Amino acid sequence: KAGVTQTPRYLIKTRGQQVTLSCSPISGHRSVSWYQQTPGQGLQFLFEYFSETQRNKGNFPGRFSGRQFSNSRSEMNVSTLELGDSALYLCASRITDAEAYEQYFGPGTRLTVT
Amino acid sequence: GIQVEQSPPDLILQEGANSTLRCNFSDSVNNLQWFHQNPWGQLINLFYIPSGTKQNGRLSATTVATERYSLLYISSSQTTDSGVYFCAVKVRSTNAGKSTFGDGTTLTVKP
């Protein structure tokens, strides 16, 4: 079974632009979560989607948004990019949204904002 | 929110040595995972271990949920074990989708 895939793997954007990242979960998995990893803040939860609905959201500004499609694929969007948005963005999938299930991570998208 | 503390923050070993990594958490959890982050950034699943003990080759893990800690043991370490090890927990019932990560332990295994 294929793992979690994320596209693109690397991205360079200019401050003020917007960006869309994509995540395809493991086949059969319906929950997708997004995390941001930076050297200063570590790994922080952005949001989780299940059945096309946002179930949980972390403490990030409204410039960070996401959605999930009927095939469970998810996208996250960051508008008006700031230098501090440079980070590794990781997507994780789980079979369901219940707590007691293992999550699996994709390879990440490394975003650089200049 | 829940606090997750990992120790030690950095660990340097000679190849063949054993090590123990610790994860303390401040609240009841019903989901705990250990990950190894490879040099390219991907988080590799090591153990899903909300309680009890598991072993996988040279690695084993123990979680004592009542005392709010988990341990990851690496025996006969190899250079390929180098990297950052994270524990991640989910708190019971609230914000079920959110995993809280520790700051990680950076392991360097020297040949």
Side-chain angles (χ1 to χ4, degrees), chain A residues 9-10 33 35 37 43 45 48 56-57 88 90 94 97-107 110, chain B residues 30-31 33 35 37 40-43 45 47-48 86 88 90-99 101:
Chain A
R9 294 292 311 279
Y10 303 91
S33 298
Y35 293 82
Q37 185 177 26
L43 276 148
F45 172 77
E48 182 195 24
N56 299 288
K57 190 176 187 334
L88 179 66
L90 292 162
R94 291 188 295 156
D97 63 337
E99 297 160 346
Y101 284 90
E102 193 169 358
Q103 61 183 343
Y104 300 85
F105 282 84
R110 194 168 295 277
Chain B
N30 64 352
N31 185 316
Q33 289 186 251
F35 297 93
Q37 189 165 42
W40 298 272
Q42 181 153 12
L43 290 170
N45 289 38
F47 293 102
Y48 170 72
F86 290 100
K90 288 184 190 287
V91 179
R92 289 184 181 278
S93 76
T94 62
N95 213 352
K98 173 182 178 180
S99 279
F101 283 77

Side-chain angles (χ1 to χ4, degrees), chain A:
Chain A
K1 187 181 279 190
V4 180
T5 58
Q6 292 187 245
T7 57
R9 294 292 311 279
Y10 303 91
L11 205 49
I12 300 175
K13 289 286 189 179
T14 303
R15 194 170 48 182
Q17 289 185 316
Q18 74 163 9
V19 67
T20 299
L21 312 181
S22 180
C23 171
S24 292
I26 293 170
S27 177
H29 285 200
R30 297 171 61 199
S31 166
V32 173
S33 298
W34 289 88
Y35 293 82
Q36 181 198 63
Q37 185 177 26
T38 60
Q41 299 298 317
L43 276 148
Q44 292 189 292
F45 172 77
L46 279 157
F47 27 63
E48 182 195 24
Y49 286 88
F50 179 76
S51 292
E52 303 178 63
T53 302
Q54 186 180 91
R55 293 304 184 96
N56 299 288
K57 190 176 187 334
N59 295 325
F60 280 82
R63 300 184 298 106
F64 291 82
S65 63
R67 60 178 175 169
Q68 186 180 34
F69 302 94
S70 58
N71 62 358
S72 295
R73 189 178 70 86
S74 177
E75 290 181 347
M76 67 163 281
N77 182 276
V78 188
S79 62
T80 319
L81 284 165
E82 300 177 359
L83 296 178
D85 297 332
S86 294
L88 179 66
Y89 290 88
L90 292 162
C91 158
S93 82
R94 291 188 295 156
I95 196 163
T96 181
D97 63 337
E99 297 160 346
Y101 284 90
E102 193 169 358
Q103 61 183 343
Y104 300 85
F105 282 84
T109 294
R110 194 168 295 277
L111 171 66
T112 302
V113 182
T114 62

Side-chain angles (χ1 to χ4, degrees), chain B residues 24-94:
Chain B
N24 291 335
F25 41 94
S26 61
D27 203 345
S28 298
V29 301
N30 64 352
N31 185 316
L32 187 147
Q33 289 186 251
W34 282 97
F35 297 93
H36 176 210
Q37 189 165 42
N38 67 21
W40 298 272
Q42 181 153 12
L43 290 170
I44 308 299
N45 289 38
L46 297 177
F47 293 102
Y48 170 72
I49 188 165
S51 64
T53 297
K54 290 186 178 180
Q55 180 157 7
N56 184 5
R58 296 182 296 104
L59 274 59
S60 64
T62 295
T63 297
V64 183
T66 53
E67 297 187 21
R68 300 182 182 173
Y69 73 88
S70 183
L71 302 173
L72 177 68
Y73 305 96
I74 305 174
S75 65
S76 304
S77 58
Q78 301 174 358
T79 56
T80 52
D81 294 332
S82 295
V84 185
Y85 290 79
F86 290 100
C87 74
V89 303
K90 288 184 190 287
V91 179
R92 289 184 181 278
S93 76
T94 62

